[in-house]
Amino acid sequence: MFKKILVVEDYDSINVGIVTALSEKYSAEIYNTKYCDDAWLKIQNAHLNSSPFDLIITDLSFEQDYREQKLEGGIDLIEVIKANYPDTKIIVYSIENRYIEINTLIEKLKIDAYISKGRNSINELHHAIEHIQSTPNCYLSPDIEDITTTSTALILSDEDLEIISLLSKGYTQQEISAVFKSKSKTISSTSSIEKRIGKLKLSFEAKNTIHLVSIAKDLGLI
């Protein structure tokens, strides 16, 4: 059972709601903060005092206010935690549902659970906490699991996803080619990019690149 939990969430109502729900069910010490920089300081101090947090529950998006922050969001916080304390359990509790972001968190940052904020999210959070104490596999709430297991997502390569992402930002085929060449991608010529976009439009049954980007956004791929 987790002994010390930190909740990182900038909205008071959600922050307090999570803390209250956890306090009613678990006997752990529960702390909370609205800023990623504060969270990182608490985590460091806890380790220095030989009383580390067992579990971090964090949102991804944090609204900026008068306080300047070095860690601007949940991904920045997770990266620094994993770089320094890789065994720390982390649950993402967020409304974000973009496939690229979720896949990065699961595959590269090795988070332990991803809960989508919604009507049943507190119950899902309890399920996640129970799950990650006994199972190494990442726990996903049902709607997030649908996104990560969709056949469309599975057949897309990292290059495909990056092409769609760059198209959504207004990049031309020539500009995408330049970006890929700077990264020494195997697919980097303008003609190769054009062919790949053509295949993507066929796969998604998109009429044009704008339609392709729109479909990808609807599916949560970007």
Side-chain angles (χ1 to χ4, degrees):
M1 182 61 66
F2 294 116
K3 297 179 180 179
K4 194 172 181 180
I5 301 172
L6 177 61
V7 177
V8 191
E9 164 64 56
D10 57 343
Y11 279 87
D12 284 334
S13 58
I14 299 175
N15 194 315
V16 173
I18 295 172
V19 171
T20 300
L22 296 179
S23 299
E24 291 174 350
K25 191 173 179 68
Y26 307 107
S27 59
E29 295 179 53
I30 302 171
Y31 299 80
N32 63 329
T33 180
K34 295 188 287 185
Y35 297 94
C36 291
D37 282 3
D38 286 352
W40 178 229
L41 286 174
K42 288 179 184 293
I43 292 166
Q44 288 178 296
N45 288 333
H47 275 272
L48 289 173
N49 293 325
S50 300
S51 180
F53 288 98
D54 303 297
L55 173 64
I56 311 297
I57 300 171
T58 182
D59 194 359
L60 295 180
S61 300
F62 289 78
E63 289 189 2
Q64 294 184 343
D65 60 12
Y66 64 93
R67 291 181 56 174
E68 185 176 345
Q69 299 290 303
K70 292 181 180 178
L71 302 176
E72 296 182 352
I75 291 180
D76 292 340
L77 176 61
I78 293 168
E79 285 178 343
V80 73
I81 293 171
K82 287 297 185 180
N84 291 274
Y85 311 115
D87 294 332
T88 304
K89 298 288 187 181
I90 297 176
I91 295 177
V92 170
Y93 188 84
S94 177
I95 199 169
E96 298 287 343
N97 64 353
R98 290 174 293 181
Y99 172 77
I100 295 177
E101 204 164 67
I102 295 170
N103 190 59
T104 297
L105 288 163
I106 296 170
E107 298 297 331
K108 296 182 180 179
L109 295 180
K110 305 298 182 183
I111 62 168
D112 298 280
Y114 195 112
I115 304 302
S116 177
K117 289 180 182 176
R119 292 178 179 175
N120 199 40
S121 53
I122 291 295
N123 285 334
E124 288 296 333
L125 182 58
H126 289 318
H127 290 320
I129 291 172
E130 298 298 329
H131 175 90
I132 66 177
Q133 289 183 100
S134 58
T135 307
N137 298 332
C138 182
Y139 180 92
L140 304 174
S141 53
D143 53 338
I144 297 300
E145 192 168 16
D146 288 343
I147 291 171
T148 58
T149 57
T150 176
S151 59
T152 303
L154 290 174
I155 63 172
L156 294 179
S157 66
D158 290 342
E159 287 80 9
D160 291 330
L161 292 170
E162 187 169 1
I163 286 171
I164 297 173
S165 178
L166 291 171
L167 286 172
S168 74
K169 296 174 183 176
Y171 280 62
T172 64
Q173 293 178 13
Q174 290 78 12
E175 289 170 333
I176 294 173
S177 173
V179 170
F180 276 32
K181 285 177 181 177
S182 70
K183 296 181 178 181
S184 300
K185 299 269 189 181
T186 53
I187 302 169
S188 60
S189 68
T190 302
S191 61
S192 296
I193 299 298
E194 183 180 4
K195 289 178 182 177
R196 185 58 67 92
I197 292 173
K199 289 181 180 179
L200 287 169
K201 286 192 290 187
L202 285 173
S203 297
F204 285 93
E205 298 181 352
K207 297 177 181 178
N208 49 49
T209 54
I210 295 174
H211 191 202
L212 172 63
V213 169
S214 176
I215 293 170
K217 286 182 177 179
D218 288 342
L219 290 172
L221 299 177
I222 58 173

